[in-house]
């Protein structure tokens, strides 16, 4: 930054003024904290430009400081009410990603026809035209052979424009196989809330009013979905509320909580049922929500059945059934034996939690539900919010799918011809909806697309092999449990296109590699961010910098160019759909090229939020330019109790402890396969039989591996610095890796409790081999009291063998830095929700000194 002395004085005066005059009492601590007013000719002035961080599923609105055409700094966007000016460490790591010298810089094609980890793809640069022409040719081939269902689009992270590439493009080509990563992300957590209060999505929390919070494997000041907001109010929250963290590992949240409950992995359900038991036997449920015995006398006595007629419920359905079927015997003493948590602590937490009712939050997370039987665990955690009346209430949990206004995308139906319609009717590749994989999203059998089974399906050619795959923002042979299957499946797919920022493990198997923009800095796209701080929003990513590379936007420009290439080969439906159906909302113009299409798609989608003539409950924005400048549109603050009094949307209209909604979904699934619901329970590895399947209940942890051969339990967590698994090729990630408690910079350690280590004769820093029935990795041992004895804890995110020169120890020789957990984790599922079950100590492990 060129700044004369005079300019500097002016600039700092402006900064000082801002700090004094702003409503915030916090001083502006850095030179970039506000735009300065200096106007001297020799002063080069930078600018804060709104965008969105996609480092995780918080999707925070941010601002990026651009000077000299370079992105230099990031901060939270103060216009966004969910993160109100805050962002987390990972938003800054984005800077090193966008300027990563290892990025894909131009389209490339594979010249080595053999695929495998040991095969050099021998990529050579090609033009965009050649790339598109080749892809179009492959698609036309499928059309000619009436096998368009063998086309598939794979999606990892995405923007709200994904409705074009992921949503409608496969329909026009004619394939039911658009496969997202959602099922390896967090679906079982959503399952719990859906089958109690019918909401499939991430919850929001009124941390500002809560008096008690239980975090079930949630570490919301380090990970999860609202880190900037939660971290910014944590001090005040922990002063006001009592906080309990259930996690086998001493997480950052555990370190800052009043209670740490280092549960045996996968046994959370025992504690949750016992908390409910205490709340009922001690008469602590929130009566204005749940109701009471007709004569006011508590008949919830350990071991005794209760007559349903004696209890009158208000907002809920099936409390007495829940008690009779599940809770009456589930004492804290019983739970202590299973969970490894002392009964005293369970009593204390149960009482504290219930005494704070209704301002008591049971905070679910993938940690305790993305486990083999975790759908029911998530249900019990959600049901606790019903017991204390915090569901949809002040100081509680908001599970309400208020949608932000948007235009969606035009209906593609008129562009689906006979060949495509036939393809769309074929069985899906992912096995979702099969007997052993109900994947019951939105009550529909097969409602979830099951990501990780795609590898099995391809290998077994059941129901068929895939022939043409377009994959974006994914790295499935790294991010799915059982990576070896993915390597083999990817080698078997004849033609795969990877649209990626970095060449990654998946790229190694690609036939064509397409360079795409880094989401935070190089594209303009709408992002409907997670709800947070009682607001929802529609953010806008902006093209903060001109990319130095030959990139195209994956979700808009590439589909357009593919449409043009297909048109040249005689199939114009895709490009016709784009040309005929999309219009610039301001000018009415149709798009004539890829760049225009990109801009028009975004303007179209977001039109209602920036056009002041649309009525909406939220910010008023005066036009498109203003929206670009602000970078976000916020809803008004959520008004509580919208679901109360019969609006829960469940089968009974009530908050369901006995889930008629789940019963109907399971019945539907069972009927489809001509079996009983008990058969479904057996096929999905659940132990429950009969009516118990419809109430939140304890299921014992299920693990892969025999205890005699694999004596310890393996568990994992994510890093404060993980942008999912995308940030490992930055030096900031590696240099600051020890920000994760117990971890080491530039390394990837297995954290063993010193007691276990002593028994195994392992010392700090020894190289060890972690062996599971699925595979093995070699990493350094770290002796750390923060791991529960009997458990090996390791962070996820390292172990890249093909992600760049920092992520790998030796990129050329494919030597990873550390080990990818997914090599040793088994490809198992929480089948009811179709989720990949990475948690709950799903596999046992043997630790050998190398
Ligand atoms: N820093 C960071 N934040 C992120 C992301 C990221 O990559 N990095 N990714 C985003 C994404 S895509 C998602 S889906 C969310 C995930 O949201 P999170 O809530 O962060 O989910 P996980 O990291 O899968 O698991 C959370 C915790 O579960 C604990 N755990 C493991 N097994 C068990 C168990 O059996 N019982 C209990 N009680 N705890 C257990 C782990 O120690 C870990 O602390 O986070 C988002 N936020
Ligand atoms: N063991 C274990 N496995 C896990 C998890 C875990 O905690 N533990 N987390 C799970 C979860 S919650 C999720 S959501 C999944 C995520 O899994 P995936 O969806 O497979 O995503 P990533 O592994 O993050 O890899 C994303 C790829 O996108 C590329 N990329 C980076 N930035 C951009 C961009 O801006 N645009 C495009 N087009 N590409 C980009 C990168 O180069 C990388 O190749 O992993 C799951 N797998
Ligand atoms: S990494 Fe996630 S929490 Fe952090 S700023 Fe980005 S979107 Fe927000
Ligand atoms: Mo995720």
């Amino acid at each position: 930054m060129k700044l004369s002395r005079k300019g500097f004085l002016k600039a700092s005066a402006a900064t000082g003024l801002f700090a004094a005059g702003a409503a915030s009492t916090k001083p502006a601590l850095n030179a970039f904290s506000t735009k300065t007013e200096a106007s001297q000719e020799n002063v080069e002035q930078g600018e804060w430009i709104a965008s969105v961080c996609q480092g995780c599923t918080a999707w925070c609105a941010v601002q990026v400081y651009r000077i000299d055409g370079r992105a230099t700094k990031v901060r939270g966007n103060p216009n966004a009410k969910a993160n109100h000016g805050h962002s987390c460490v990972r938003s800054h790591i984005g800077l090193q990603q966008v300027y990563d010298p290892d990025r894909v810089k131009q389209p490339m094609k594979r010249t080595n026809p053999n695929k495998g980890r040991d095969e050099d793809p021998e990529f050579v640069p090609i033009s965009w035209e050649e790339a598109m022409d080749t892809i179009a040719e492959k698609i036309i081939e499928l059309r000619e052979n009436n096998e368009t269902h063998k086309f598939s689009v794979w999606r990892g992270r995405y923007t709200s424009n994904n409705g074009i590439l992921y949503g409608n493009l496969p329909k026009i080509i004619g394939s039911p196989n658009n496969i997202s990563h959602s099922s390896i992300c967090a679906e079982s957590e959503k399952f719990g809330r859906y089958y109690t209060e019918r909401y499939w999505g991430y919850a929001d929390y009124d941390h500002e009013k809560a008096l008690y919070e239980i975090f079930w494997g949630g570490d919301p000041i380090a990970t999860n979905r609202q880190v900037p907001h939660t971290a910014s109010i944590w001090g005040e929250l922990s002063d006001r509320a009592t906080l309990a963290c259930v996690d086998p590992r001493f997480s950052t949240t555990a370190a800052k909580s009043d209670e740490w409950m280092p549960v045996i992995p996968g046994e959370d359900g025992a504690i949750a049922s016992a908390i409910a038991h205490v709340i009922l036997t001690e008469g602590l449920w929130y009566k204005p929500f749940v109701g009471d015995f007709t004569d006011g006398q508590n008949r919830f006595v350990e071991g005794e059945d209760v007559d349903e007629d004696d209890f009158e419920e208000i907002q809920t359905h099936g409390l007495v059934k829940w008690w009779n079927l599940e809770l009456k015997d589930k004492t804290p003493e019983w739970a202590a034996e299973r969970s490894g948590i002392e009964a005293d602590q369970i009593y204390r937490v149960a009482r504290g939690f219930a005494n704070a009712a209704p301002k008591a939050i049971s905070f679910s997370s993938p940690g305790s539900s993305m486990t083999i039987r975790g759908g029911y665990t998530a249900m019990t955690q959600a049901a606790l919010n019903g017991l204390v009346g915090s569901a949809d209430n002040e100081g509680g949990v908001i599970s309400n799918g208020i949608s932000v206004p948007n235009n969606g995308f035009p209906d593609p139906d008129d562009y689906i011809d006979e060949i495509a319609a036939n393809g769309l009717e074929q069985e899906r590749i992912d096995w979702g909806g099969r007997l052993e994989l109900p994947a019951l999203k939105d009550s529909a059998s097969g409602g979830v697309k099951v990501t990780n089974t795609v590898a099995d399906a391809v290998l077994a050619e059941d129901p068929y092999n895939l022939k043409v795959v377009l994959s974006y923002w994914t790295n499935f042979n790294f991010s799915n449990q059982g990576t070896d299957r993915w390597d083999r499946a990817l080698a078997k797919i004849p033609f795969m296109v990877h649209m990626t920022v970095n060449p990654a493990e998946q790229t190694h198997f690609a036939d064509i590699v397409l360079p795409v923009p880094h989401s935070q800095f190089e594209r303009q796209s709408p992002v409907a961010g997670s709800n947070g701080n009682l607001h929802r929003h529609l953010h806008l990513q902006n093209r903060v910098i001109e990319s130095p590379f030959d990139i195209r936007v994956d979700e808009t420009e590439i589909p357009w160019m593919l449409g043009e290439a297909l048109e040249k080969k005689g199939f114009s439906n895709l490009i016709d759909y784009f040309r005929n159906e999309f219009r610039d909302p301001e000018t009415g113009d149709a798009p004539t090229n890829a760049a225009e299409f990109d801009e028009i798609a975004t303007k179209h989608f977001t039109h209602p939020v920036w056009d002041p003539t649309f009525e909406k409950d939220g910010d008023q924005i005066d036009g498109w330019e203003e929206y670009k400048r602000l970078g976000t549109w916020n809803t008004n603050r959520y008004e509580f109790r919208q679901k109360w009094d019969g609006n829960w949307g469940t089968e009974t209209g009530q908050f369901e402890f006995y889930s008629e909604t789940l019963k109907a979904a399971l019945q539907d699934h069972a009927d489809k396969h001509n079996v009983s619901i008990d058969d479904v329970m057996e096929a999905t590895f659940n132990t429950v039989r009969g009516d118990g399947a419809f109430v939140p209940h304890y299921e014992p942890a299920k693990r892969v591996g025999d205890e005699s051969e694999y004596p310890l339990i393996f568990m994992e967590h994510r890093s404060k610095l993980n942008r999912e698994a995308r940030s490992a090729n930055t030096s900031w990630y590696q240099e600051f890796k020890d920000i994760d408690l117990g971890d080491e910079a530039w390394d990837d350690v297995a954290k063993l409790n010193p007691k276990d280590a002593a028994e195994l004769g392992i010392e700090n820093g020894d190289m060890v081999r972690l062996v599971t029935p699925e595979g093995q990795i070699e990493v350094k041992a770290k002796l750390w009291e923060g791991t529960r004895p009997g458990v090996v804890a390791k962070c996820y995110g390292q172990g890249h063998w093909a992600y760049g020169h920092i992520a790998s120890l030796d990129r050329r020789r494919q030597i990873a830095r550390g080990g990818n957990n997914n090599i040793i984790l088994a490809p198992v599922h929480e089948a009811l929700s179709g989720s990949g079950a990475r948690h709950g100590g799903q596999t046992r492990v043997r630790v050998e000194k190398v």
Side-chain angles (χ1 to χ4, degrees), residues 758-802:
E759 269 178 40
L760 294 162
I762 289 168
E763 288 178 22
N764 216 16
D766 283 350
M767 284 304 287
V768 289
R769 192 176 299 121
L770 306 184
V771 187
T772 73
E774 184 62 27
Q776 44 180 280
I777 53 178
E778 285 180 16
V779 289
K780 204 178 275 176
K782 176 74 183 278
L783 273 51
W784 188 55
E785 290 86 351
T787 308
R788 201 199 144 82
V791 173
V792 178
K794 192 178 155 298
C795 191
Y796 169 67
Q798 298 265 39
H800 281 288
W801 53 269

Side-chain angles (χ1 to χ4, degrees), residues 53 55-56 58-60 87-88 90-91 227-228:
C53 175
C56 78
W59 293 293
C60 295
S87 68
C88 86
R90 283 163 289 143
S91 64
V227 176

Side-chain angles (χ1 to χ4, degrees), residues 789-829:
V791 173
V792 178
K794 192 178 155 298
C795 191
Y796 169 67
Q798 298 265 39
H800 281 288
W801 53 269
Y803 199 69
H805 72 287
I806 292 178
S808 307
L809 274 182
D810 186 336
R811 169 66 188 86
R812 293 186 72 82
R813 289 163 58 218
Q814 298 184 358
I815 300 174
R817 184 183 298 283
N820 179 4
N821 294 353
N822 285 328
I823 295 173
I824 59 172
L825 285 167
V828 289
H829 290 92

Side-chain angles (χ1 to χ4, degrees), residues 194-197 315-319 379 383 648-663 694 696:
Y194 189 87
Y195 291 106
T196 46
E197 50 169 315
Q315 300 293 338
T316 62
H317 170 81
L319 178 72
M379 256 179 105
W648 295 91
T650 54
E651 291 280 319
T652 59
Q654 302 283 95
F655 183 105
E656 292 184 341
F657 294 128
Y658 180 89
S659 181
E660 294 286 355
T661 308
L662 179 56
K663 189 176 182 174
F694 317 132

Side-chain angles (χ1 to χ4, degrees), residues 101-117:
D102 290 333
R103 279 183 63 173
V104 181
K105 304 176 182 74
Q106 73 271 306
M108 297 187 296
K109 73 173 175 195
R110 175 182 210 96
T111 56
N112 179 357
N114 301 323
K115 292 184 184 177
R117 190 165 157 170

Side-chain angles (χ1 to χ4, degrees), residues 546-567:
E546 283 302 320
S547 180
F549 308 126
D550 190 13
I551 55 171
R552 300 286 187 281
V553 182
D554 39 28
E555 290 171 327
T556 49
E557 293 183 308
I558 292 176
W560 176 278
M561 293 188 297
L562 182 59
E564 285 181 333
L566 285 166
E567 183 185 36

Side-chain angles (χ1 to χ4, degrees), residues 57 97 155-157 181 184-186 472-476 478-481 498-507 516-520 523 554 716-718 723-726 796 803 820-822 825 838-839:
T57 36
Q97 285 183 301
R155 183 191 83 183
R157 200 47 61 216
H181 75 190
I184 55 168
C185 179
Y472 78 104
W473 220 328
T474 54
N475 197 12
F476 283 170
F478 186 91
S479 59
N480 279 274
Q481 289 77 65
H498 200 208
M499 304 174 224
T500 183
V501 166
N502 273 72
E505 283 73 17
Q506 193 181 326
T507 318
V516 294
H518 187 284
S519 54
Q520 195 172 328
R523 65 190 281 177
D554 39 28
E716 62 142 46
H717 60 94
R718 39 192 355 96
R723 293 174 60 111
E724 283 140 40
R726 307 188 289 269
Y796 169 67
Y803 199 69
N820 179 4
N821 294 353
N822 285 328
L825 285 167
R838 63 180 178 271
H839 286 308

